């Protein structure tokens, strides 16, 4: 599967939305908000690593 920047940015935005929603749930005292925060941060981390990896591969291809 070819990863596009659009897909990776969308994944990053989904992670941000999950974290914001979890913060709202946490302020309301709902159960499970800790898990949502962790899930959102993991999604953001994975998306960030993939963006850096894709950009680094693009730079390597230009050097050749």
């Amino acid at each position: 599967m070819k990863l596009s920047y659009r897909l990776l940015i969308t994944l990053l935005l989904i992670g941000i939305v999950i974290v914001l929603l979890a913060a709202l749930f946490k302020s309301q005292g709902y159960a499970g908000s800790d898990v949502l925060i962790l899930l959102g941060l993991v999604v953001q981390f994975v998306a960030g690593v993939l963006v850096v990896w894709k950009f680094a591969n693009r730079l390597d291809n230009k050097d050749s």
Side-chain angles (χ1 to χ4, degrees), residues 3 5 10 14 18 21 28 30 34 44 47 50 64:
L3 295 174
Y5 283 112
T10 303
I14 288 171
I18 292 171
L21 190 63
Q28 297 296 322
Y30 294 150
D34 296 334
Q44 287 179 353
L50 288 175
S64 300

Side-chain angles (χ1 to χ4, degrees), residues 33-57:
S33 60
D34 296 334
V35 175
L36 272 179
I37 288 176
L38 184 61
L39 176 70
L41 290 175
V42 167
V43 169
Q44 287 179 353
F45 176 75
V46 168
V49 167
L50 288 175
V51 166
V52 169
W53 177 71
K54 182 170 176 62
F55 186 72
N57 280 342

